[in-house]
Structures are given as C-alpha cells and as structure tokens.
Amino acid sequence: MSKCNYLSVGIDVGSAFSWMSIVDPDENLILKPFKIIHNNLDSLERALCAIRKAEESHSMKSRTFLESTGIYHFPLFCYLMESGFEAFVINPLITHSIKNIGIRKVKNDKLDSIGIAKLGLKSDLQVSVIPTKLVLELRALTRNYYSLVDIRSSYVNQLKTHLHTVFPQYLDVFCDVTGKTSMMILESYPTPDKILRAHRDSLISKISKTSRKGLERATEKYDKLVMAAKAAKVFGCNLDSVYFNISTTLTLIKGMDLAIAATMDNIHALVKKHSLEKFVEQIYLLNSITGIGFLSAVTIMCEIGDFSVFKNPKQLFAYFGMDPEVKQSGKFNATEVHMSKRGSRIARRAIFAAALACIRKKRNGEAINPYLHEFYQKKAAAKPKMVALGAVMHKVCNYIFAVLRDETEFVMRSPEEHRLTYKSPSSLAA
C-alpha cells in the first residue's frame, strides 16, 4: 500500500461540540484531541489555525474527515470547505468498524477522533458524496412531508380513540373520519345530541353539498348518522372533556393538512424552477415508471443523490437497505434471512409504495403492471406475502436502475420481450 502524503484530520462530531485530532502519514499523533465549540467563533477559528499550523510545520496539505451524524456534521463540513480545506464525510458504519480494534473496551469522543484521523489515511477509504444544494433542499422537503404525514396519522388514530369512547357508532357511518363530510359533521355537530336536534333538511343539504352527492345519497347518509346518534345515547360515554379533545384534534389535523399541502407546493415549485437540470430530468424519468408517482420519484432521487456512483443494481439494493442479511458460519447457513435495512428508510418507504401500486388492480380488474402482478402471484403462492412483496421491490429497483442508466423513459415489456430486445447479435444470428 502506498504511503499517503497528507495530514489526516479526524473530527468526532457532536451536537454542541466536536473533538478534533491530527495524525501524520505514519499515524503519529501531532495534535492531541482538541475541543471545538460549534457556537463559538473563536473556538472554530482556533481549530482552523491548528490545522494551518500543522500544515506549515510538516510542509504538507491536510484532509479532514468527519463522521456523518445526520445533521450536526453538515454546518462544520460547510465551514471547513468555505475556509479552503478539503473535507470528507465518512459513513458511521465504517467508523464503527474501527472502534473495537483495541483489547480494552474504551469508548470516548477523544479516542474516536484519533481513530477517524487514522482511518482517513487508508487509501481505499470510501467517503460519502455530498449532494448538491438542489438535492439537499428537495430532500429536506420530502423528509418533512413524510414526517408531517406520520404526525397526521397519529392524530387520526387519536381522533378514532376519542370517538370510540363517546360515539363508537360514528366509525361505522364514515370509513374515512377525516373526509370532508365527516370533518364537517364533527365540527358543526360534534355530539350525538346536536345531530339529533339538527334540522333534517338543513343537515341533508349540507351533506349533499360537502360530499358532492345527490340528495338521495345524502339522505341515506343522514339516516345512518341519526341511527348511530341514537345508539350512542344508549352505548357511549358522554364526557365533555373527550368532546373537547375531539375538537382540538380536528384543529391539529386541519393544520397538518395545510402544512402537507404547502410542503407539496414547495416541492413542485422547486422542481419546476430547476426543470432544465439533469437531476430534475432524472426525476421525470422515474415518474415515467408505472407505479411511481411524482412524490415517490422526487423522494427516491433525493435519497440516491448522485446516481453515477452506482455501477449495478445490487449496489442500489444495498444502498436502500434492501439487500439480504448474510448469516453463515462453518456449515451453518441461515434459512430465514431478512432485509438488512441499513440504508435509507425513506427510500424503502417510497419503493414499498411503488411495489404495492404495481400489484394492484384498477376498477375494471386490469392490473396496473400485469407482469409484476403475475410475478407477485407466483411468489405469494409459495412464499409469505411480505417476502413476495420484497421480491417485487427488487424488481422496481431494477426498473429504477435501468431507467437512470439508459436515460430513457420506462417502457413496459414482458420478460420475453425484454430478453429478446437485449439478446446479443451473435445469439440472434445463431
């Protein structure tokens, strides 16, 4: 292995402060662990001066390596880059692999910074690719979108819990308690008593107008609602505090709906603004795949970042955490293996949604993707359904890789047509 010709700066990043160490190409410690306080400009400047002083005294440039910590490393990374230093981010899975080298079980931030610095001297070290500003902005929006959706789901579950207490029969009237008609009823007539005292024609008219259904369908819904309200008078706890909780939960759900819609508008606006960039073109390529909608396409591309670093679909599987765990020792080979799930959880969520869409059927009974639907049915006949769905996710991942590699829109082909299309000329001649 050739010797490195640079000083390696290792930084173990924390939320409020970090520890920095510097080693020379022979792994000799030339700067003992140095504390950097993030919110102190003097502390940051002293860290830069320490790196410059080490460069001058050893007459060589430095490279700084930071462990990825989700969000805390990024401001420090940007600060180093803007100050003219070479900085690299290391996946924590790699840094964790060096923490048990010593015989003694010692773990602290000071030693971690020295370990990261020594790790930076390895010529075969793989560093993370820092996404562009557009990718970071879209990634922040998509991740916030899913976070808001999850929070909204928790509020919906709370609403159902409250209704189970005071008005359990209501859940049989509306399959979606947060639909427009249901929300109107819960806001205007929050208790069974108010529903029973409401003017019949007025309530039917409101149901018809909100649901955009005819008066006949609205009358049917009104009759079910009245029956449920009467039943609640017999079987249901009349607690004012729970009705108050329902009111506040409805307010929170409406607030979440506004935030989700605003986030989605920002995603559309940002994509439209950068429509000529290659990254956005790749989003549209993914959107051409059957089963992958606009949001899923943006999410998957944001989690991929720079597609050029992937050489084959298996690398993409592993990056998403969809590769199988390997459990083998001697003659033992585990028969029950699961996804490693060491990659992007958000990307797996988007691909899972795409896989579900591909195996669904339309109202006319036609499968959205007949080939993946048939593939799923064959797998599900011999394997558990989630295992079969995992196999479909791998197929979707193959679609993603092929579309981005070839830079062409998705064309649905049968497996036979696909094999014939990519058959070598020699085999065709034979």
Side-chain angles (χ1 to χ4, degrees):
M1 187 189 301
S2 61
K3 188 176 178 181
C4 298
N5 59 348
Y6 57 84
L7 301 176
S8 180
V9 182
I11 301 180
D12 185 79
V13 182
S15 59
F17 59 87
S18 301
W19 287 94
M20 180 182 78
S21 299
I22 304 178
V23 299
D24 64 14
D26 295 319
E27 296 190 0
N28 297 315
L29 186 65
I30 61 177
L31 177 69
K32 292 181 180 180
F34 177 91
K35 189 174 183 179
I36 307 173
I37 303 173
H38 297 170
N39 295 333
N40 188 313
L41 293 179
D42 290 336
S43 178
L44 291 168
E45 186 58 36
R46 284 197 300 270
L48 298 185
C49 289
I51 298 174
R52 292 192 185 102
K53 185 178 179 180
E55 289 180 336
E56 291 173 2
S57 61
H58 289 76
S59 300
M60 59 177 64
K61 290 290 186 180
S62 68
R63 293 184 182 178
T64 304
F65 299 89
L66 303 85
E67 181 183 40
S68 176
T69 56
I71 57 173
Y72 299 123
H73 73 279
F74 197 69
L76 187 57
F77 171 84
C78 294
Y79 178 73
L80 288 165
M81 293 291 287
E82 290 170 0
S83 300
F85 294 96
E86 282 190 272
F88 304 90
V89 177
I90 307 175
N91 191 302
L93 293 175
I94 297 175
T95 56
H96 288 172
S97 66
I98 66 168
K99 291 182 180 179
N100 291 319
I101 293 177
I103 295 175
R104 292 188 62 203
K105 188 175 182 181
V106 180
K107 198 279 180 194
N108 61 54
D109 295 339
K110 294 181 181 181
L111 290 178
D112 288 347
S113 67
I114 298 174
I116 293 171
K118 291 180 178 180
L119 186 64
L121 295 173
K122 294 185 179 294
S123 58
D124 58 347
L125 176 65
Q126 293 184 344
V127 295
S128 302
V129 178
I130 300 301
T132 63
K133 184 181 178 183
L134 173 61
V135 176
L136 290 172
E137 287 186 345
L138 283 172
R139 182 183 293 176
L141 288 171
T142 53
R143 289 183 177 181
N144 186 57
Y145 178 91
Y146 287 107
S147 176
L148 292 172
V149 168
D150 291 340
I151 294 171
R152 183 188 186 276
S153 297
S154 68
Y155 287 146
V156 172
N157 290 333
Q158 288 181 24
L159 178 62
K160 290 180 179 179
T161 300
H162 297 324
L163 288 170
H164 266 296
T165 303
V166 296
F167 200 168
Q169 300 81 0
Y170 185 87
L171 299 172
D172 296 328
V173 179
F174 294 97
C175 56
D176 180 11
V177 293
T178 59
K180 289 183 178 181
T181 307
S182 175
M183 293 285 278
M184 181 273 294
I185 296 293
L186 291 174
E187 288 177 342
S188 304
Y189 311 95
T191 66
D193 284 333
K194 290 186 177 181
I195 291 173
L196 294 174
R197 290 200 301 266
H199 190 273
R200 181 179 184 277
D201 293 340
S202 176
L203 184 50
I204 290 175
S205 176
K206 285 184 178 180
I207 293 173
S208 176
K209 184 178 179 180
T210 307
S211 64
R212 296 183 179 180
K213 303 290 185 182
L215 288 175
E216 184 177 348
R217 293 283 298 276
T219 303
E220 292 177 4
K221 185 67 70 175
Y222 169 81
D223 292 337
K224 290 181 180 179
L225 192 60
V226 169
M227 288 179 62
K230 290 179 179 178
K233 298 285 288 180
V234 178
F235 185 79
C237 300
N238 188 19
L239 301 174
D240 292 337
S241 59
V242 177
Y243 288 121
F244 172 78
N245 290 341
I246 289 175
S247 176
T248 56
T249 305
L250 288 174
T251 303
L252 292 170
I253 291 173
K254 289 177 71 175
M256 285 295 106
D257 288 338
L258 291 174
I260 290 169
T263 303
M264 197 64 196
D265 289 342
N266 271 284
I267 293 172
H268 277 285
L270 200 55
V271 169
K272 186 177 180 180
K273 181 180 177 181
H274 298 273
S275 59
L276 299 179
E277 293 194 23
K278 184 177 180 180
F279 181 80
V280 174
E281 292 176 358
Q282 290 174 322
I283 290 175
Y284 290 133
L285 288 175
L286 290 191
N287 195 21
S288 70
I289 299 175
T290 304
I292 295 183
F294 174 76
L295 178 63
S296 294
V298 175
T299 302
I300 294 169
M301 273 312 307
C302 286
E303 297 302 317
I304 289 175
D306 184 3
F307 175 73
S308 64
V309 301
F310 299 98
K311 306 305 178 186
N312 55 65
K314 288 186 177 180
Q315 291 180 346
L316 205 57
F317 299 158
Y319 183 75
F320 290 151
M322 292 166 51
D323 56 321
E325 293 179 341
V326 178
K327 295 181 180 179
Q328 185 274 334
S329 179
K331 294 182 179 180
F332 170 77
N333 277 295
T335 55
E336 291 187 11
V337 293
H338 305 278
M339 287 184 183
S340 66
K341 295 187 178 180
R342 298 180 79 177
S344 170
R345 177 181 60 84
I346 299 295
R348 284 197 303 276
R349 179 173 178 171
I351 295 172
F352 180 78
L356 279 178
C358 287
I359 63 174
R360 287 196 184 107
K361 289 186 176 181
K362 303 175 184 176
R363 290 185 177 180
N364 59 6
E366 180 184 348
I368 293 176
N369 187 322
Y371 307 114
L372 283 188
H373 181 268
E374 183 182 358
F375 173 78
Y376 170 77
Q377 294 296 331
K378 289 180 180 178
K379 285 285 184 182
K383 300 280 186 179
K385 289 185 177 180
M386 289 305 295
V387 174
L389 193 57
V392 175
M393 289 173 67
H394 274 75
K395 290 285 188 182
V396 173
C397 218
N398 283 330
Y399 288 169
I400 292 169
F401 183 86
V403 162
L404 295 177
R405 177 198 60 199
D406 300 337
E407 297 183 354
T408 55
E409 290 191 357
F410 175 74
V411 177
M412 193 181 298
R413 299 190 186 98
S414 67
E416 294 76 18
E417 291 173 329
H418 181 76
R419 283 193 290 269
L420 189 61
T421 302
Y422 288 94
K423 230 174 191 181
S424 62
S426 59
S427 61
L428 286 173

